[in-house]
Amino acid sequence: MKVGVLALQGASARHVTMLARLGVQPVAVRSQADLDTVDALVLPGGESTTISMLLESADLFDPLAARLAGGMPAFGTCAGMILLGHEILDGRPDQRCFDVVDISVRRNAFGRQVDSFEADLAVGGIDDGPVHAVFIRAPVVEAVGEGVDILATVEGRPVLCRQGPVVVAAFHPELGDDPRLHELFLREVA
Ligand code: GLN
């Protein structure tokens, strides 16, 4: 299976490493031609406003929206979560999202860069111990639609969700040495 990692801006490199380690063939996606070759896509952390803009200037927004609407599995982390949700709170007026997970996502909900933090999360579907999660200017899910499963929370707020073949995390599961969330994505959805 070929899994793409959107590589227009942000933290794509560690996702590539993690996927390769799990035995799938990672592909850096920067164009529609790249996108056409993959079976699933990781949307990494970074700056969602910038990624949204670059998706448009690369003529990739609409082709990617079509693939997602067609049921392509996707794993969005941090900025990637913002891009896959239904509604962006505290976004820039011109930033767009794909609306494949029925969540409202508030950007920078835990504060600024200096307020970045780490937490051990109990994750639904992972039974062999907590997942250590790194939150960097992280978003939070403020509203959740009916079809969405909440897989982990921080202070009662959802930070890991799934709807159908799409998984979204407010944190950075590619940092550190724990492949279990990528495994969960590959096993359950891709
Ligand atoms: N705050 C960033 C945004 O709004 C996301 C931060 C991240 O991906 N680590 O896009």
Side-chain angles (χ1 to χ4, degrees):
M1 181 169 58
K2 279 194 182 180
V3 178
V5 180
L6 187 64
L8 297 175
Q9 187 267 340
S12 61
R14 297 274 207 120
H15 281 292
V16 169
T17 310
M18 195 67 93
L19 291 168
R21 186 175 146 188
L22 294 175
V24 299
Q25 196 183 335
V27 177
V29 170
R30 298 189 180 85
S31 67
Q32 183 174 359
D34 298 332
L35 179 66
D36 288 345
T37 68
V38 304
D39 307 301
L41 186 68
V42 175
L43 288 80
E47 184 50 55
S48 59
T49 53
T50 306
I51 297 174
S52 171
M53 202 180 71
L54 292 173
L55 281 165
E56 302 218 42
S57 57
D59 289 326
L60 199 49
F61 194 97
D62 293 334
L64 178 49
R67 285 296 303 276
L68 291 166
M72 177 178 67
F75 185 18
T77 61
C78 207
M81 169 194 249
I82 297 168
L83 285 158
L84 290 168
H86 165 68
E87 180 187 27
I88 303 170
L89 307 170
D90 291 337
R92 259 183 32 181
D94 59 344
Q95 98 175 90
R96 297 173 67 194
C97 56
F98 291 108
D99 192 12
V100 286
V101 181
D102 191 5
I103 52 175
S104 299
V105 185
R106 186 171 301 282
R107 294 179 60 224
N108 305 329
F110 293 101
R112 304 164 64 92
Q113 190 83 16
V114 292
D115 302 311
S116 297
F117 66 101
E118 303 186 15
D120 287 319
L121 305 179
V123 173
I126 295 181
D127 301 326
D128 54 348
V131 169
H132 190 71
V134 181
F135 293 79
I136 304 169
R137 277 198 314 127
V140 79
V141 176
E142 292 217 343
V144 173
E146 260 182 22
V148 178
D149 295 326
I150 298 170
L151 304 180
T153 59
V154 165
E155 293 161 2
R157 311 208 272 180
V159 292
L160 179 66
C161 297
R162 171 187 175 177
Q163 183 167 16
V166 182
V167 177
V168 287
F171 50 93
H172 282 262
E174 80 284 9
L175 298 178
D177 197 32
D178 186 348
R180 287 178 297 165
L181 279 181
H182 291 77
E183 267 167 6
L184 179 143
F185 171 62
L186 295 173
R187 180 177 67 236
E188 305 250 331
V189 300

